[in-house]
Amino acid sequence: QGMEELASVKDAVLSCAAADGKDGWQYLFPVKDATLRSRLALRCLDTWPLDACLEILSYCASDLDITDELKSTLQSKKKELQVYQKIMNLQNEPLWSDWQDLKRACTDDPQTIMDIILKAKDYELCEEWGHLYPVPRENLISFHQEHLLHLLEMGDMEKALKLLQRIEDPDICLAISEQSLDQRPSLAASHFLADYLTTHFYGNLTAARHNEIQALYMGSKVLLTLPELYRVNYFHLSSRPLLMLEQLLMNMKVDWVAVAVQTLHQLLAGQEIGFAVEDIDNLLSKYAEKALDFPFALKEKRSEPELHSGVLILQFGFLSYSLVSYSAYVRDRSLQQNLPPQEFVPPEKPPPKQQWIPDDTEMICMVCKTERFTMFNRRHHCRRCGRLVCSSCSTKKMAVEACRENPARVCDQCYSFYNRE
C-alpha cells in the first residue's frame, strides 16, 4: 500500500512537471497510471511541439491498460496532428510558426488552407482536412470534382469509384458527377461518368438531361470504335453521335460508319434518348441519294474513252444500301477533243486572291468542263489564273509571281503554257 501511495505521489509530481511549459511532455513517459498519462497528454497538447505530440500520443495509445474509448480519442487526435504536419510540409516558405498557429488559421481562414492544399494537388490530404473542419457545400463540391477529374485523367477508375462511394450526401455526389461530366473530360472519363450517372442516379435526372447523358455515353462508345489516332478529330462530337455519324459519311469513312451504325443499333435497343434507329436510316438514305447524284470521271487515265464505275456496299444489320460513288463516261471529253483546239492564254499577271473566281459562281471545272464540284470533289483555285478547277486538272506546281506559297498549285493549262518545249 505504501508503494502504491508512493507511485501515486510520483505520478502527481510528474504530471505537474509535464503541464509546465513546452518541454513538459518528456515527463509523461515515467508516469505509471496509463489513464492519467493519456488524459494529461490530451489536455496539454496545445503547449507542446508537433513531433513531441505525435510521439507521446503513439506511446499512450499503445498502452493496453487504457479503455477502448480513450484509445480511440488518442488515435483521432494523432490523425488530426498528422494532417497539420502534412500541410506544413507543403509550404515553401514558413506561413505558420507552429502547428498551433496553423490550427487557428484552419478555423479563421479555411479557404486559404484549402487553396494551398489544392494548389499542391494533394486531394487526399484535402479530403482528410475536410473531415476536421466544416467546408461550405460549394467548396466541397469543387475540391471533390477536381479530385475526381484528376483520378479519371490518371486512368485510375477504381479510386474514382471509391471516392464517389465515400461521399455520403447523394445530392453532393450527383452534383460532382454532373459538373465533372460537363467539363467534357477525356473519352474514358466521359464514358465512366455517363455510365455512373445513368446507373446510380437514373431517377434523379430530367428527361432532357438523361437523353444528353445517354447520347454522350453512346457517342463515347462509337468514338471507341474508331482508330485511336483519329479519335481526336471527332471527340468534339462525342455528345452528338448522329452528327458524328454524318461527319464520318462526309469524310467517306465507310468502314468506320459500318461499325458505328452497328454499335448504335445495339445501344439504342429499348432506349429513348432523343433519336432512334429510324433517324440513322434517314441519314444513310440521305447520303445514298447524294452518292447517286454525283458523277465524275476517275482521276487515273482520264484521256481514255472508257467507262469507270465504283459500287460501294454498306450493310448495316437489317439495312443495306448500294451507294454508287461514281459512274461516268469520258465521252464528253472525247467529243471536245474533236473540236478545233483553242489554246488557253493566262492573264499577263497572276490575279490577287480577291480577284479569283468566287466559289459559288461555278459548279463545273473550268478546265475539263466535265467534272462537277461536290462535297467529295472539291474546288481548287489556280494560283496563276484564279480559275476554279478540279483536283485532276490541277496536279502540277510551279513558281508564281507574288504568291505566298512557292511552288504554287496551278491548273494544267497554265502549267502547259509556261512549260512548252
Side-chain angles (χ1 to χ4, degrees):
Q1 185 177 355
M3 292 298 294
E4 288 178 1
E5 289 178 355
L6 181 61
S8 297
V9 172
K10 185 179 179 180
D11 282 355
V13 173
L14 290 170
S15 298
C16 291
D20 186 23
K22 65 178 182 180
D23 297 323
W25 60 275
Q26 54 193 320
Y27 296 107
L28 276 187
F29 291 101
V31 173
K32 296 291 185 182
D33 189 330
T35 301
L36 174 64
R37 183 198 317 124
S38 299
R39 294 191 182 282
L40 192 60
L42 290 171
R43 183 180 302 174
C44 298
L45 282 176
D46 287 343
T47 62
W48 297 336
L50 181 58
D51 291 340
C53 291
L54 291 171
E55 185 179 353
I56 194 65
L57 286 172
S58 297
Y59 180 76
C60 291
S62 65
D63 199 310
L64 300 177
D65 291 334
I66 62 173
T67 63
D68 290 341
E69 183 182 358
L70 186 55
K71 183 177 182 178
S72 177
T73 303
L74 290 165
Q75 289 174 337
S76 296
K77 198 65 181 178
K78 180 183 175 183
K79 286 181 180 179
E80 179 185 346
L81 266 62
Q82 285 174 332
V83 170
Y84 298 142
Q85 186 181 49
K86 292 176 184 177
I87 296 174
M88 294 183 76
N89 289 337
L90 295 178
Q91 55 184 351
N92 295 323
E93 298 179 0
L95 300 177
W96 311 283
S97 57
D98 49 37
W99 74 267
Q100 292 89 344
D101 189 22
L102 170 58
K103 182 180 178 181
R104 286 189 290 272
C106 289
T107 303
D108 298 339
D109 191 8
Q111 184 63 53
T112 298
I113 305 299
M114 192 171 75
D115 290 343
I116 291 171
I117 302 173
L118 289 177
K119 186 177 179 180
K121 294 189 179 298
D122 196 334
Y123 301 106
E124 292 182 1
L125 174 57
C126 197
E127 190 174 347
E128 291 177 39
W129 178 82
H131 289 308
L132 299 174
Y133 294 92
V135 180
R137 187 177 187 274
E138 290 184 2
N139 292 352
L140 194 64
I141 292 173
S142 177
F143 92 72
H144 274 314
Q145 178 187 331
E146 195 169 331
H147 188 190
L148 178 62
L149 288 173
H150 173 73
L151 292 173
L152 291 174
E153 295 304 323
M154 295 292 290
D156 200 335
M157 307 304 176
E158 184 178 352
K159 279 190 176 180
L161 182 59
K162 287 181 179 178
L163 169 62
L164 291 170
Q165 290 172 341
R166 285 198 300 272
I167 300 171
E168 297 178 356
D169 189 331
D171 291 336
I172 291 180
C173 189
L174 173 61
I176 292 166
S177 304
E178 283 199 279
Q179 290 180 23
S180 297
L181 186 62
D182 290 338
Q183 293 292 319
R184 290 292 185 268
S186 67
L187 174 60
S190 297
H191 191 191
F192 172 90
L193 290 166
D195 189 36
Y196 183 83
L197 282 166
T198 51
T199 302
H200 295 86
F201 293 102
Y202 186 91
N204 301 79
L205 304 172
T206 64
R209 184 62 165 160
H210 176 262
N211 289 348
E212 179 185 343
I213 292 173
Q214 276 293 89
L216 180 61
Y217 177 79
M218 292 186 182
S220 65
K221 281 285 193 180
V222 170
L223 209 55
L224 286 171
T225 68
L226 305 183
E228 188 171 356
L229 289 175
Y230 294 90
R231 290 173 189 168
V232 65
N233 298 333
Y234 300 91
F235 179 75
H236 65 288
L237 299 173
S238 55
S239 61
R240 305 175 68 184
L242 265 184
L243 191 57
M244 188 192 306
L245 192 62
E246 183 169 9
Q247 189 69 53
L248 291 171
L249 284 166
M250 290 179 67
N251 293 339
M252 297 191 74
K253 303 297 184 183
V254 179
D255 293 339
W256 302 356
V257 170
V259 179
V261 171
Q262 185 179 6
T263 302
L264 284 173
H265 278 181
Q266 294 171 352
L267 294 171
L268 282 170
Q271 297 284 348
E272 294 184 5
I273 64 165
F275 71 92
V277 172
E278 290 74 16
D279 297 303
I280 299 176
D281 297 347
N282 292 336
L283 181 64
L284 296 174
S285 298
K286 170 185 171 183
Y287 278 86
E289 292 173 5
K290 286 180 180 290
L292 289 168
D293 283 342
F294 93 97
F296 68 95
L298 273 181
K299 297 172 184 176
E300 291 80 35
K301 302 181 182 179
R302 294 191 44 200
S303 59
E304 299 178 9
E306 58 183 79
L307 174 66
H308 303 280
S309 65
V311 179
L312 198 54
I313 308 297
L314 305 181
Q315 291 184 333
F316 305 132
F318 59 84
L319 215 84
S320 180
Y321 291 104
S322 291
L323 306 183
V324 181
S325 61
Y326 46 78
S327 176
Y329 283 104
V330 194
R331 184 186 313 149
D332 293 340
R333 166 160 287 207
S334 300
L335 290 173
Q336 289 179 4
Q337 290 174 349
N338 293 330
L339 297 174
Q342 292 183 343
E343 184 182 21
F344 172 74
V345 179
E348 184 177 349
K349 290 187 176 182
K353 187 173 181 178
Q354 56 268 29
Q355 293 181 11
W356 288 354
I357 303 297
D359 285 350
D360 56 358
T361 59
E362 295 291 337
M363 296 302 296
I364 296 176
C365 174
M366 298 176 71
V367 172
C368 66
K369 310 291 186 184
T370 58
E371 292 211 23
R372 190 153 63 94
F373 299 127
T374 68
M375 72 173 67
F376 305 119
N377 194 27
R378 294 178 54 213
R379 299 167 172 79
H380 298 279
H381 277 101
C382 171
R383 269 44 175 181
R384 183 59 190 78
C385 65
R387 293 181 300 169
L388 289 166
V389 295
C390 65
S391 58
S392 296
C393 291
S394 55
T395 58
K396 303 289 195 299
K397 289 186 176 184
M398 70 179 202
V400 177
E401 179 186 350
C403 186
R404 185 175 58 184
E405 48 195 57
N406 264 317
R409 187 172 189 166
V410 297
C411 69
D412 293 353
Q413 288 180 337
C414 283
Y415 185 86
S416 298
F417 184 84
Y418 288 103
N419 290 274
R420 287 178 290 190
E421 296 181 359

